[in-house]
Each structure stands twice: as structure tokens, then as C-alpha cells.
Amino acid sequence: MAPMAFQDYIDALLYVSMGIPTTMSLAALAFSIGIVLGSLLLLTRFFLPKPLPWIATAYVEAFRGTPLLVQIFIIYFGVGGYLKAYGINLDPFTAGVIALGLNSAAYQAEIFRAAVQAIPVEQYLTAEAYAFTKAQTFRYIILPQALRIALPALMNELVLLIKDSSLVAVIGVFPPDVFRRADYFSASRFMYFEAYMAAATVYFILCYTMVKISHWIERRYAIPGYLRRGIL
């Protein structure tokens, strides 16, 4: 890269980096929504009577089976359009958080389901032998282990949300996120390579940092014996 081009890249990197707070806010808020809603979906599928588990499964399959970009458009232009008729303005940032959160909830519900099903059936039988109710078994025996088993996949979901947050740029999120700022920089200076390379660099640094943090969390909260056997 020529010296001038390198300076342009540094300028783009500094400009694009100012979008980090918005990108991380989108990912963190969406992840929080996903945690809460994903937990409710898990409880619905395990404890509530039919047809509620079928509805929860349909939700999961619908959001996993359609593109996230389409879901963002449905929330912002579709739902947002209906809300405007009632005087409610759905701004791009809120729409993006909702769309990312609803999408993440479907994947987190599957992560929780897989973690719960990974608990050996002998533990259920032992709890039953000690006269534990189904709710007590889930709360005191299954859930603490399932959350720790699910940690690697949950942290991976957070990394994916950081990358997927770039899709919200298409609806004009404000304040602009990393990718939106790259668009602004490339359009104003006609330096597309430098702008998008800067965006790629920022996303890589954010995701790599989160991966390292997730590895520490996984080791810190791993179930004794699972890490040695290669389960985590």
C-alpha cells in the first residue's frame, strides 16, 4: 500500500472507529433481548402445555429459516409503517435492536435446548428419586449446569451479533455504526478500499477481543471434568 494510501487507511480507521459504541450497543442490547426471550422459549417448550410449545418451535424455525436482512426490513418498514398510523415512530436504532434481538432469541433458544438435553438422564432420575419436582430439578440441578455448558455457544452468538449488526446500516441507523461510517467515508472521498478495509479491521479487532474474553469465561466457569474431556 502506497504511503498516501496508507494515510488514507489510517484516516478511514479513525473515522470508522467512532462507530464502535453504536455497534457494541446494538450487539449488547440484542444479546440481552435474546437471552430473556430465548429463556422464555426454552421454558415454554419444556414446561407449558400444548399448543404453546408448538408455537415456540414455530417461532424458532421461522426466525432461523429466514434472512436477518429481511427481518430487519419487516420490523422497520413493515411494523414501523403500521405503528406510524398510531403516531408511534420506530427509529432505525430501535428497529435494529428489536430485529437482531428477535433473531438472536431463536438461536439462543436452540443453544439452551441443546445444553439442557446434554445433561445425562441419570441426573433427572436421581432428582426424581429424591422427590424433586420438575421445577426444582430444572432450577437446582439442570439449569446451573446447562448455562455453563451453553457458555461457548452463547459467546459465539455475541460475536455473530457484532458482525450481523452491520446489516442495520441499510436502514440508516443513527448514530452511525462502524459499517455506516465506512459508507460515509467511501462516499465522501471515493476511497472504497480503504474505507471497507478499515471497517473489516475494526470488526476483526472487536470479534477477536470477544473471542479471547469468551475463552477466559469458558475456562473460569467450566464444569469440573468437562474441559479435560474436551466437552468444552
Side-chain angles (χ1 to χ4, degrees):
M1 186 178 290
M4 183 59 68
F6 181 75
Q7 184 58 51
D8 293 335
Y9 168 74
I10 296 299
D11 292 342
L13 191 60
L14 294 174
Y15 182 79
V16 165
S17 297
M18 290 189 288
I20 291 177
T22 301
T23 291
M24 294 304 295
S25 296
L26 285 166
L29 290 172
F31 186 76
S32 300
I33 292 174
I35 283 280
V36 174
L37 188 53
S39 301
L40 292 176
L41 289 169
L42 172 71
L43 296 175
T44 299
R45 297 167 83 177
F46 273 85
F47 291 103
L48 297 186
K50 296 176 181 178
L52 292 177
W54 297 342
I55 296 173
T57 300
Y59 173 95
V60 170
E61 296 304 326
F63 276 89
R64 293 176 68 214
T66 55
L68 176 56
L69 184 59
V70 174
Q71 296 167 20
I72 292 173
F73 273 56
I74 290 174
I75 297 296
Y76 182 61
F77 293 107
V79 176
Y82 281 111
L83 291 178
K84 282 184 179 179
Y86 297 95
I88 302 174
N89 183 37
L90 186 63
D91 64 274
F93 182 89
T94 303
V97 169
I98 293 173
L100 289 170
L102 293 177
N103 179 273
S104 180
Y107 287 93
Q108 292 194 48
E110 284 297 282
I111 291 171
F112 291 141
R113 181 188 61 79
V116 168
Q117 292 181 339
I119 305 299
V121 68
E122 290 81 7
Q123 297 197 23
Y124 292 91
L125 299 176
T126 302
E128 185 178 353
Y130 279 94
F132 275 47
T133 65
K134 189 174 182 181
Q136 288 175 327
T137 301
F138 187 83
R139 178 181 177 183
Y140 295 110
I141 299 176
I142 304 306
L143 186 59
Q145 297 180 81
L147 287 175
R148 295 162 82 176
I149 293 173
L151 268 176
L154 288 175
M155 295 305 297
N156 182 65
E157 175 64 17
L158 179 58
V159 171
L160 290 176
L161 280 172
I162 294 174
K163 294 186 289 185
D164 288 344
S165 67
S166 61
L167 294 174
V168 181
V170 301
I171 58 175
V173 64
F174 186 85
D177 67 325
V178 169
F179 190 72
R180 190 68 172 173
R181 282 190 167 273
D183 279 341
Y184 289 160
F185 189 91
S186 62
S188 62
R189 298 200 188 182
F190 301 101
M191 297 175 181
Y192 301 98
F193 179 79
E194 291 83 356
Y196 294 119
M197 277 298 296
T201 301
V202 171
Y203 280 117
F204 174 79
I205 292 173
L206 291 176
C207 294
Y208 184 77
T209 302
M210 290 306 305
V211 167
K212 289 301 180 182
I213 293 174
S214 72
H215 288 169
W216 178 84
I217 294 175
E218 291 165 24
R219 290 192 296 270
R220 175 68 177 79
Y221 294 101
I223 299 174
Y226 277 54
L227 189 60
R228 289 195 302 272
R229 295 199 299 267
I231 295 178
L232 291 178

